[in-house]
């Protein structure tokens, strides 16, 4: 592959190979671009828009946009960070996110990204949607209150597990996650702990039962270092949850499983 | 539920000689009853997952909703996960996964319907039928609600009953409909006059005056040669009539030159932009010309298959369109060896939409054609190289295809001589709102707003919304502006508002439309359109302050720069436009100079007051602001 192609990210020269997206090349070079619906192990979706950058002056999602030679990419600017903060605030008010009582607190990418981007309040009026939890499964709990519709679990189940346990239904603000069962209950699907889909949720929806506080608050993924400061070995993002932890270097702060 | 029981009962009575009531109930398993009709539908659609949406629409016709057991059968027969089927069905507003009534009544809720009193008519129907809007009646008979513009603004207020259009709704008609529903008269036995739909062509120019004989344009192309015909289309400077205005000749050329296993032609008849209804009339009166335009394109790009994507609201056109296609096959204008030319094989299938404006966006339309949720794709790549089944695909508007026939028969130079330098040919406007003669007006490009207003008999006009909610709102001092790509570009909508209209309510209606139609894929549009709706409702409630304007402007910048597709990009336009041009309509609502929360403590207590039957001063909080 042609290794000498480069673009600049906030003035730094970033090498890239054909087929890589801006965020992939940036991660490989150890640069952080905020993201939520992107996980290096899954096909990009481009829906949360947190990773929006200015590429040659045009705003675009860096997880789906491929760089061109000498492209000038801006990411860590006041304007873009303001917009990202507004997007985060939208996600916070759209669902029911009560961080202090959430067992994902400290391991949650939404929360950690909000810290990095200095989000001080939800700003908009809360929607307080009514989203019942699904505790039917013996090993897992689904708390839809926190779902940000990133579809990572959908992609993991479909593309990695070959199962289609999860899917998006509804439209617009009524979009919601469904599971592959006539009863609508996770217990009636073939979902299991070994699934990739069990380990990709960036927020606190897909939760393993009985281990919620095995790692105490204070020693969780983002308790010591902010999400932006975790290194990016092998072009993969260590803060994105993954199931094949055994084959990869241990996570900076294990999330308990 | 009720319908399902109905269905079983009819089956039982037919077979009642074969066993007692109880035996029958247990012997006809739901799976079996669903399998019976589903297998016919599945066979018709070759069990093909690309036809999932069409299969679901057909399945819903049987019971009025898609039964949970039916999904089992489809899932098994099509080897598709249930989650996928439910995900698709859940996207389209005309598909139901729960019983939705034997009669499903949807009032068109465009601003023009509002101006014609649709809400009072809906309330009247609801009270006569003892139902609440949006809720299924307890006996499962009827559900009454609203839907986005049904494309009948020239003859509104409009409604759909079981997806079939009824217009010119009056109080008398509502009384009659209430009676018909109460008496459970099947839709097919309702008075035929209810279903009459007018064309209302008021001004004809080159396209609406044309009387191209079926096959004439194809013969002209075959005589001239494919390349030369493409050249004529380029010479004509024809630009897309669906909104974006891309050069049609270039689109066809890019597609022809793109490598792929197959090439496809798609006609976009989704016509979802509120206030637009010209494609409806073209498909009714000029279907041959539209299909012939698609066939010209097929020959030039090398396509064997074409699709017409027809919005669900225009379903009543389906039999007519199928008949035209059938006639064309008989005339050897479709099928194999068209007009005797070896290798010129092409046919057209019609796919129905099911109530989703976003499916007018070309990449969402293609997703929908493939039987999926109508979510816009990441672009690039564009449909010309990666469209239907990832093959090179031309997507054009109905009017665009019809225009290519004119160009092929009359020549590109002739066509480019009409209109203005940069906007050649004619444009059909869908005129509605406050005027004496709503309907279709075709003009050469360059016509002024004032001219159109004079022609349609509009008086005391305050504003015109050009190109629908995603377009632009024009005030009286701009009526000398022209319909043209470099001035007022338009997909055709032309909604007129006289001095008595409240432009704030116009904008609020449009904002609600966008929130309802956002596909929900990307954060800024999914949440942002809802926030904007809430803000407009807050202003309408009298809780607005200048602070809210700053918020709306910030939302606009965010949606413009981060949304995934055109819907999100234009969702704030109606508000920004009207704030700029009709500020007094907003100022009226700004009772406060300082920020006021949407939440009113005293009003929140009203329920408690109601329950306790108290209304003394002690039961009131001193409100932070007067609620009105
Ligand atoms: C939200 C949205 C809705 C659209 N709806 C329609 C539509 O109903 N009909 C249409 O022809 N084009 C519609 N378009 C434009 C199409 O994406 C596409 O540009 C057009 O069909 C191309 O045909 P043309 O070049 O002949 O105009 C829409 C675009 C967007 C962003
Ligand atoms: S459950 Fe988690 S992974 Fe799945 S869509 Fe919701 S937030 Fe994303
Ligand atoms: S802008 Fe709106 S309609 Fe377009 S992809 Fe995003 S959510 Fe869907
Ligand atoms: S990370 Fe790129 S859009 Fe979500």
């Amino acid at each position: 592959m042609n290794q000498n192609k480069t673009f600049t990210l906030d003035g730094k020269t970033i090498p890239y190979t054909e087929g890589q997206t801006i965020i992939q090349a940036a991660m490989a070079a150890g640069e952080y671009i905020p993201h939520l619906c992107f996980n290096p192990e899954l096909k990009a979706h481009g829906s949360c828009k947190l990773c929006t950058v200015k590429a040659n002056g045009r705003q675009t999602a860096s997880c789906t946009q491929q760089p061109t030679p000498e492209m000038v990419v801006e990411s860590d600017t006041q304007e873009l960070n303001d917009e990202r903060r507004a997007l985060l605030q939208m996600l916070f008010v759209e669902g029911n996110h009560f961080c202090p009582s959430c067992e994902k607190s400290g391991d949650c990418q939404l929360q950690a990204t909000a810290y990095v981007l200095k989000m001080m309040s939800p700003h908009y009026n809360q929607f307080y949607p009514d989203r019942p939890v699904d505790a039917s499964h013996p090993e897992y709990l689904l708390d839809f209150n926190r779902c940000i519709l990133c579809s990572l679990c959908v992609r993991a189940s479909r593309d990695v597990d070959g199962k289609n346990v999860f899917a998006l239904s509804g439209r617009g603000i009524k979009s919601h996650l469904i599971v592959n069962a006539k009863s609508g209950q996770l217990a009636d699907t073939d979902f299991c702990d070994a699934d990739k889909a069990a380990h990709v949720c960036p927020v606190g929806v897909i939760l393993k039962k009985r281990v919620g506080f095995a790692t105490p608050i204070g020693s969780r993924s983002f308790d010591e270092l902010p999400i932006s400061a975790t290194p990016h070995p092998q072009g993969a993002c260590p803060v994105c949850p993954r199931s094949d932890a055994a084959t990869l270097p241990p996570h900076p702060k294990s999330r308990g499983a | 539920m009720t319908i399902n029981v109905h269905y079983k009962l009819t089956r039982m009575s037919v077979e009642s000689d074969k066993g007692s009531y109880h035996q029958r109930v247990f012997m006809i398993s739901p799976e079996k009853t669903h399998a019976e009709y589903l297998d016919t539908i599945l066979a018709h659609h070759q069990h093909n997952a690309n036809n999932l949406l069409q299969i679901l629409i057909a399945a819903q016709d049987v019971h009025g909703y898609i039964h949970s057991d039916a999904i089992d059968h489809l899932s098994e027969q099509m080897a598709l996960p249930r989650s996928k089927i439910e995900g698709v069905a859940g996207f389209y507003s005309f598909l139901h996964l729960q019983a939705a009534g034997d009669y499903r009544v949807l009032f068109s809720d465009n601003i023009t319907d509002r101006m014609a009193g649709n809400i009072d008519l809906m309330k009247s129907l609801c009270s006569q039928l003892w139902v609440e809007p949006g809720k299924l009646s307890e006996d499962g008979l009827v559900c009454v609600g609203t839907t986005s513009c049904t494309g009948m603004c020239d003859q509104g207020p409009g409604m759909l009953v079981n997806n079939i259009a009824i217009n010119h709704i009056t109080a008398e008609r509502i009384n009659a409909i209430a009676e018909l529903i109460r008496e459970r008269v099947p839709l097919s036995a309702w008075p035929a006059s209810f279903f009459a739909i007018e064309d209302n062509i008021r001004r004809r120019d080159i396209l609406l005056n044309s009387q191209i004989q079926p096959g004439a344009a194809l013969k002209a192309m075959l005589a001239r040669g494919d390349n030369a015909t493409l050249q004529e289309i380029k010479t004509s400077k024809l630009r897309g009539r669906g909104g974006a205005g891309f050069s049609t000749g270039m689109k066809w050329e890019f597609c022809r030159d793109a490598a792929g296993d197959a090439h496809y032609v798609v006609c976009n008849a989704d016509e979802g932009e509120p206030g637009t209804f010209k494609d409806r009339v073209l498909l009714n009166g000029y279907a041959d010309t539209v299909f012939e335009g698609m066939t010209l394109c097929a020959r030039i790009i090398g396509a064997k298959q074409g699709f017409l994507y027809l919005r669900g609201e225009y379903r009543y056109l389906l039999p007519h369109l199928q008949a035209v296609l059938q006639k064309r096959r008989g005339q050897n204008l479709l099928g194999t060896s068209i007009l005797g030319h070896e290798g010129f094989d092409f046919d057209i299938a019609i796919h129905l939409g099911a109530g989703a404006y976003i499916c007018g966006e070309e990449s969402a339309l293609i997703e929908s054609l493939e039987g999926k949720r109508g979510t816009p794709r990441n672009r690039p790549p564009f449909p010309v190289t990666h469209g239907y089944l990832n093959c090179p695909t031309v997507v054009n508007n109905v009017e665009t295809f019809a225009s290519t026939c004119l160009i092929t028969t009359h020549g590109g130079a002739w066509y480019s001589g009409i209109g203005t330098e940069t906007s050649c040919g004619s444009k059909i406007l869908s005129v509605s709102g406050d005027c004496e003669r709503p309907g279709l007006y075709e003009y050469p490009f360059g016509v002024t707003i004032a001219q159109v207003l004079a022609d349609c008999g509009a008086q005391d006009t305050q504003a015109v919304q050009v190109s629908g909610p995603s377009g632009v709102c024009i005030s009286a001092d701009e009526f000398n502006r022209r319909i043209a790509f470099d001035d007022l570009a338009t997909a055709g909508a032309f909604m007129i508002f006289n001095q008595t209209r409240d432009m704030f309510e116009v904008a609020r209606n449009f904002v609600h439309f966008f929130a309802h139609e956002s596909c929900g894929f990307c954060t800024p549009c999914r949440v942002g359109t809802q926030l904007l709706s809430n803000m407009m409702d807050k202003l309408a409630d009298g809780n607005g302050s200048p602070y809210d304007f700053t918020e709306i402007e910030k939302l606009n910048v965010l949606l413009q720069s981060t949304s995934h597709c055109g819907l999100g990009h234009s969702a704030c336009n109606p508000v920004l436009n009207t704030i700029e041009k009709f500020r007094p309509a907003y100022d009226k609502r700004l009772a406060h100079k300082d920020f006021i929360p949407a939440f009113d403590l005293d009003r929140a207590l009203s329920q408690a007051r109601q329950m306790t039957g108290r209304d003394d001063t002690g039961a009131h909080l001193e409100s932070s602001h007067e609620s009105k």
Side-chain angles (χ1 to χ4, degrees):
Chain A
M1 281 272 170
N2 188 347
Q3 271 293 355
N4 358 337
K5 284 191 183 157
T6 62
F7 66 95
T8 65
L9 176 67
D10 295 328
K12 293 182 205 123
T13 304
I14 310 283
Y16 73 94
T17 51
E18 208 56 55
Q20 259 184 334
T21 56
I22 294 174
I23 205 170
Q24 284 172 326
M27 278 184 175
E31 295 299 324
Y32 171 75
I33 299 176
H35 59 277
L36 287 173
C37 73
F38 176 69
N39 178 319
E41 296 175 74
L42 298 168
K43 194 170 163 250
H45 198 229
S47 60
C48 75
K49 302 297 177 193
L50 252 286
C51 71
T52 299
V53 294
K54 246 186 202 172
N56 286 343
R58 213 186 115 252
Q59 300 215 164
T60 175
S62 63
C63 67
T64 51
Q65 179 71 49
Q66 297 184 5
T68 53
E70 314 305 324
M71 186 182 254
V72 178
V73 179
E74 297 162 73
S75 172
D76 193 10
T77 67
Q78 164 107 32
E79 180 193 359
L80 287 165
N81 286 333
D82 283 350
E83 293 189 353
R84 289 177 182 136
R85 204 176 305 115
L87 292 173
L88 286 170
Q89 286 165 327
M90 287 182 171
L91 290 171
F92 270 95
V93 300
E94 182 190 24
N96 297 312
H97 298 272
F98 309 115
C99 298
S101 67
C102 175
E103 50 179 89
K104 190 81 172 204
S105 188
D107 283 330
C108 169
Q109 286 191 58
L110 179 67
Q111 183 192 46
T113 310
Y115 278 128
V116 167
L117 290 170
K118 301 194 172 59
M119 189 190 112
M120 306 306 282
S121 78
H123 184 78
Y124 303 111
N125 285 340
Q126 297 281 357
F127 290 5
Y128 293 129
D130 184 15
R131 300 185 187 167
V133 301
D134 175 355
S136 62
H137 195 277
E139 284 184 278
Y140 273 84
L141 170 79
L142 296 181
D143 190 340
F144 296 111
N145 286 294
R146 305 161 187 150
C147 181
I148 57 170
L149 304 165
C150 69
S151 103
L152 281 168
C153 58
V154 178
R155 285 172 276 160
S157 185
R158 184 190 61 209
D159 302 340
V160 182
D161 307 328
K163 282 189 178 180
N164 293 291
V165 169
F166 299 102
L168 291 178
S169 189
R171 187 176 79 200
I173 200 67
K174 292 186 182 150
S175 301
H176 60 277
L177 197 66
I178 56 170
V179 300
N180 193 26
K182 194 173 188 176
S183 63
Q185 303 267 291
L186 189 66
D188 296 325
T189 69
D190 51 355
F191 178 79
C192 70
D193 184 45
D195 285 357
K196 178 79 178 167
H199 307 274
V200 291
C201 183
V203 294
V205 181
I206 308 176
L207 297 168
K208 194 170 164 71
K209 286 182 176 174
R210 293 174 289 276
V211 295
F213 293 92
T215 309
I217 304 264
S219 36
R220 296 189 167 196
S221 306
F222 311 119
D223 284 342
E224 272 162 37
L225 283 178
I227 192 168
S228 54
T230 14
H232 293 75
Q234 305 163 2
C237 172
V239 301
C240 291
R242 53 177 171 251
S243 58
D244 51 349
T247 61
L248 287 160
H251 198 278
K253 295 278 176 208
S254 160
R255 56 180 34 75
Chain B
M1 283 290 275
T2 335
I3 324 165
N4 193 28
V5 172
H6 271 286
Y7 182 73
K8 279 189 211 154
L9 286 173
T10 32
R11 299 212 61 78
M12 275 187 290
S13 54
V14 171
E15 301 168 283
S16 59
D17 52 332
K18 289 185 200 154
S20 75
Y21 176 80
H22 291 286
Q23 269 175 314
R24 297 312 308 166
V25 167
F26 291 110
M27 279 172 67
I28 301 174
S29 68
E31 273 100 289
K32 178 144 181 284
T33 46
H34 289 289
E36 277 171 36
Y37 67 87
L38 288 175
D39 287 343
T40 319
I41 294 169
L42 283 164
H44 180 73
H45 291 285
Q46 300 96 41
H47 290 70
N48 187 342
N50 293 324
N51 295 330
L52 179 59
L53 175 58
Q54 305 309 305
I55 292 169
L56 291 172
I57 292 171
Q60 166 156 304
D61 285 346
V62 178
H63 286 313
Y65 75 109
I66 304 158
H67 196 281
S68 181
D69 294 338
I71 296 182
D72 282 338
H73 190 71
L74 292 176
S75 166
E76 194 184 295
Q77 295 293 311
M78 300 180 78
L80 287 175
R82 182 183 186 93
S83 53
K84 153 122 195 185
I85 300 176
E86 286 182 359
V88 170
F91 186 86
Y92 296 92
S93 35
F94 293 170
L95 293 180
H96 308 283
L97 293 169
Q98 255 103 43
D102 292 0
Y103 297 90
R104 298 172 302 283
V105 182
L106 292 172
F107 282 81
S108 176
D109 200 17
N110 186 22
I111 185 68
T112 53
D113 298 291
R114 288 252 166 164
M115 284 156 39
N118 69 334
I119 296 298
D120 285 341
L121 292 164
M122 177 172 79
K123 281 186 190 153
S124 158
L125 183 64
C126 284
S127 72
Q128 293 189 49
L129 292 169
W130 287 88
V131 290
E132 265 182 74
K135 293 215 175 107
L136 179 61
S137 62
E138 270 172 33
D139 57 359
L141 178 68
V142 57
C143 185
V144 179
T146 58
T147 188
S148 299
C149 178
T150 56
M152 302 284 173
C153 320
D154 54 332
Q155 46 204 293
M159 61 153 66
L160 300 173
V161 181
N162 295 354
N163 295 347
I164 300 297
I166 300 180
N167 300 315
H168 288 304
I169 308 172
T170 56
E172 294 78 61
R173 212 164 248 202
I174 287 293
N175 298 345
I177 289 172
E179 185 71 21
L180 290 164
I181 292 176
R182 269 196 309 262
E183 300 296 324
R184 298 175 190 251
V185 177
L187 207 56
S188 53
W190 289 23
S193 60
F194 281 18
F195 305 102
I197 287 162
E198 298 147 8
D199 277 351
N200 290 331
I201 298 177
R202 312 285 187 181
R203 187 183 194 283
R204 295 168 191 268
D205 211 289
I206 49 173
L207 184 54
L208 296 174
N209 261 329
S210 68
Q211 285 169 342
I212 305 173
Q213 288 308 305
L218 285 176
K219 285 176 194 149
M221 168 173 69
L222 293 169
R224 189 189 279 124
D226 306 346
N227 276 337
T229 303
L230 177 60
Q231 198 48 54
E232 291 298 325
I233 290 170
K234 288 169 82 177
T235 306
S236 76
K237 298 200 234 162
L238 175 66
R239 295 168 67 172
R241 300 299 193 237
F246 193 81
S247 155
T248 306
M250 266 160 66
K251 190 184 272 188
W252 291 16
E253 188 168 38
F254 288 152
C255 187
R256 181 194 67 184
D257 296 344
D261 294 340
H263 288 62
Y264 294 95
V265 180
V266 176
C267 179
N268 187 344
D270 195 56
E271 192 156 65
E273 191 72 41
T276 320
F277 47 86
K278 54 155 186 110
D279 294 343
R280 177 197 91 209
V281 179
L282 285 173
L283 291 171
N284 191 39
Y286 300 77
D288 257 306
T289 313
V290 176
F291 291 141
E292 190 142 331
M294 292 175 71
T295 316
L296 295 173
C297 177
R299 171 85 182 176
I300 287 169
I301 68 167
K304 303 252 174 277
Q305 179 66 51
F307 296 99
L308 177 85
Y309 188 90
L310 183 68
R311 70 187 307 223
E313 290 83 345
Y314 293 171
R315 190 177 178 159
Y316 73 95
L317 283 170
L318 196 56
H320 158 68
L321 293 171
Q322 296 287 17
V324 175
L325 286 178
Q326 202 49 40
K327 193 191 71 197
R328 289 182 71 81
R329 288 181 194 117
Q331 294 165 329
N332 197 212
L333 301 174
L334 280 176
T336 48
S337 302
I338 292 172
L339 291 174
H341 279 249
E342 188 79 21
F344 186 7
D345 306 337
F346 180 65
D347 213 322
I348 296 170
I350 302 177
H351 273 223
L352 277 174
Y357 162 69
I358 192 59
C359 290
E361 194 282 335
E362 56 186 8
S363 66
L365 185 152
I366 290 170
E367 289 282 296
S368 184
L369 270 183
E370 292 180 1
K372 302 179 189 154
R373 292 165 59 79
T375 305
R377 293 177 176 176
N378 286 310
R379 301 181 316 158
F382 292 93
V384 277
T385 59
H386 296 76
Y388 183 66
L389 305 179
N390 263 329
C391 293
T393 303
V394 162
V395 182
N396 274 134
N397 175 257
V398 172
E399 188 182 350
T400 312
F401 278 122
S403 302
T404 62
C405 280
L406 266 189
I407 294 162
T408 307
T409 49
H410 292 66
W414 166 79
Y415 194 86
S416 70
I418 297 160
T420 74
E421 189 63 34
T422 48
S423 307
C424 301
S426 68
K427 181 73 194 111
I428 305 178
L429 301 176
S430 314
V431 175
S432 65
D434 294 315
C435 66
E436 280 160 26
R437 293 175 296 278
L440 253 57
Y441 290 76
E442 185 189 14
Y443 292 99
F445 270 109
V447 66
T448 61
I449 300 291
Q451 182 69 52
V452 182
L453 290 172
D455 290 353
C456 69
Q459 262 144 34
D460 279 337
T461 306
Q462 177 181 197
V464 179
Q465 184 77 21
V466 179
S467 206
S470 13
V472 43
C473 188
I474 295 300
S475 57
D477 54 346
E478 302 170 275
F479 288 171
N480 58 349
R481 290 182 64 182
R482 293 172 189 281
I483 299 292
F485 288 103
D486 47 13
D487 191 353
L488 293 169
T490 177
F494 194 101
M495 289 184 270
I496 303 167
F497 305 99
N498 70 20
Q499 296 293 348
T500 68
R501 303 299 177 184
D502 182 346
M503 295 312 290
F504 170 83
E505 284 302 336
V506 174
R508 191 157 80 106
N509 176 269
F510 292 167
V511 162
H512 280 266
F513 164 77
F514 284 126
H516 183 255
E517 297 297 341
S518 163
C519 84
F521 173 78
C522 68
T523 311
C525 172
R526 182 182 69 241
V527 186
T529 53
Q530 191 61 45
L531 285 169
L532 192 63
S533 270
N534 296 351
M535 281 182 200
M536 290 297 275
D537 291 349
K538 177 184 170 188
L539 292 180
D541 282 349
N543 293 337
S545 69
Y547 171 86
D548 295 297
F549 287 2
T550 340
E551 279 299 299
I552 290 170
E553 266 154 41
K554 276 206 293 208
L555 262 186
N556 176 52
V557 173
L558 187 68
L559 264 72
Q560 293 256 3
S561 53
T562 60
S563 290
H564 186 66
C565 85
L567 191 155
H569 295 151
S570 43
C572 295
N573 287 358
V575 183
L576 290 179
N577 270 205
T578 44
I579 290 182
E580 184 195 328
K581 296 174 186 172
F582 303 97
R583 183 63 190 248
Y586 285 79
D587 286 339
K588 261 202 325 216
R589 285 157 169 106
L590 297 187
H592 313 276
K593 284 212 293 296
D594 304 316
F595 171 73
I596 290 293
F599 182 73
D600 180 342
L601 278 175
D602 185 59
R603 199 180 314 167
L605 279 179
S606 64
Q607 232 178 347
R609 279 193 296 269
Q610 204 181 6
M611 279 157 63
T612 53
R614 282 181 58 181
D615 200 21
D616 53 290
T617 40
H620 281 273
L621 279 175
E622 198 175 332
S623 189
S624 46
H625 53 293
E626 298 302 318
S627 49
K628 182 78 237 174

